[in-house]
Amino acid sequence: MRNDILGRVAVIAAIASGLMLAPTAVAKPAVIAEPMFTPDFSGFWKLAPEQGTLKNPAIPGPHGLSRGWMTMGGWANNPPPPLTAEGLDRVRESQLRETNGEAIDERSKACLPSTLFDAMTHAEPIDIVQRQDAIAMVSERELAVPRRVFIAGPQLPAAAPKPSVNGHAVGRWEGDTLVIETAGFEPDSWLFLVDYIPHTADLRVTERLHLELGGERLIWTATFTDPVIFSEPWTVEFRFARVADMEALESVCDRDNRGLWAAP
């Protein structure tokens, strides 16, 4: 009996000794994916030469409008807006007033701001300043309000925020493309001053920005949705060339709507 008890004690001791000597399992840390390459949009950009040339204003515009479609460079490569009946009436009224020599753009005459969307289609350069959590877009064009886009922030609220000229913009990365959703526009400004394209407070804009040619070209695609003005979403695309060694100038609008360019 005694030998049997001693034998059992020896077996238990051997098992305990083996457990003590066995390596302790250590939980491996979760594998953290390497951050993706973030394109750098920072710098000055101007409409690229391949964007298009001026279109003859004598060519009849769409919808029977009296003037040519988007007579400024670059627009010739984009489709005309799919205007609703109300949208067409508004554009026709503005063009008729222009034909009659009436002042149409009272906002500009009073030095009131315009959207950066309009400024991006003109010859003046766009300066983009990029941070990890936001980007800012600034145009030399007079009246253009600087625009801020929050990246990886909260999604657009269901209820429109306080209306503003450039709206409330939230961006997110989809691979190497920055997707921007914007809403909350004040309705009194022009969407595009050229050809007097209006918008309402229901305007929503989805933009996609990405780089090509080794970062020397910025491709801006924008889809405008406004059921009052457009019968369907309207998508346009503009190409911008990076400009090196450039310094921003100051453009000032005075009470008589004269652009005063400050000397460098």
Side-chain angles (χ1 to χ4, degrees), residues 161-201:
K162 182 179 179 180
S164 61
V165 173
N166 284 321
H168 179 77
V170 175
R172 67 181 185 278
W173 290 106
E174 290 186 0
D176 60 356
T177 298
L178 179 62
V179 179
I180 304 173
E181 302 282 351
T182 310
F185 296 93
E186 66 173 31
D188 295 331
S189 62
W190 298 103
L191 177 56
F192 293 109
L193 181 55
V194 57
D195 278 3
Y196 307 113
I197 306 300
H199 70 87
T200 71

Side-chain angles (χ1 to χ4, degrees), residues 30-217:
V31 177
I32 301 176
E34 291 293 326
M36 55 171 276
F37 168 75
T38 301
D40 184 11
F41 299 128
S42 297
F44 285 92
W45 301 88
K46 295 190 71 173
L47 288 176
E50 67 271 19
Q51 178 61 39
T53 57
L54 295 179
K55 189 173 182 180
N56 186 349
I59 298 176
H63 311 292
L65 297 176
S66 59
R67 57 185 287 181
W69 159 242
M70 295 297 191
T71 55
M72 300 195 68
W75 279 110
N77 296 327
N78 282 290
L83 297 172
T84 62
E86 180 171 344
L88 181 56
D89 286 344
R90 292 192 187 187
V91 175
R92 278 178 172 165
E93 179 185 1
S94 296
Q95 293 193 3
L96 179 60
R97 291 174 58 193
E98 180 188 52
T99 302
N100 294 335
E102 299 179 43
I104 301 171
D105 187 22
E106 297 294 340
R107 289 184 59 89
S108 295
K109 185 178 179 181
C111 292
L112 295 176
S114 61
T115 69
L116 198 72
F117 301 126
D118 179 65
M120 290 182 72
T121 65
H122 291 267
E124 290 84 355
I126 300 291
D127 184 15
I128 298 181
V129 181
Q130 181 173 341
R131 299 188 323 200
Q132 184 176 1
D133 60 344
I135 66 171
M137 301 179 179
V138 183
S139 171
E140 285 188 9
R141 186 169 176 78
E142 67 272 17
L143 305 179
V145 175
R147 183 184 182 209
R148 180 182 297 175
V149 179
F150 299 96
I151 301 176
Q155 297 301 307
L156 286 176
K162 182 179 179 180
S164 61
V165 173
N166 284 321
H168 179 77
V170 175
R172 67 181 185 278
W173 290 106
E174 290 186 0
D176 60 356
T177 298
L178 179 62
V179 179
I180 304 173
E181 302 282 351
T182 310
F185 296 93
E186 66 173 31
D188 295 331
S189 62
W190 298 103
L191 177 56
F192 293 109
L193 181 55
V194 57
D195 278 3
Y196 307 113
I197 306 300
H199 70 87
T200 71
D202 295 328
L203 175 67
R204 293 183 72 95
V205 184
T206 300
E207 302 160 83
R208 304 181 71 87
L209 284 75
H210 71 276
L211 299 177
E212 292 183 357
L213 297 181
E216 293 303 307
R217 288 293 185 272

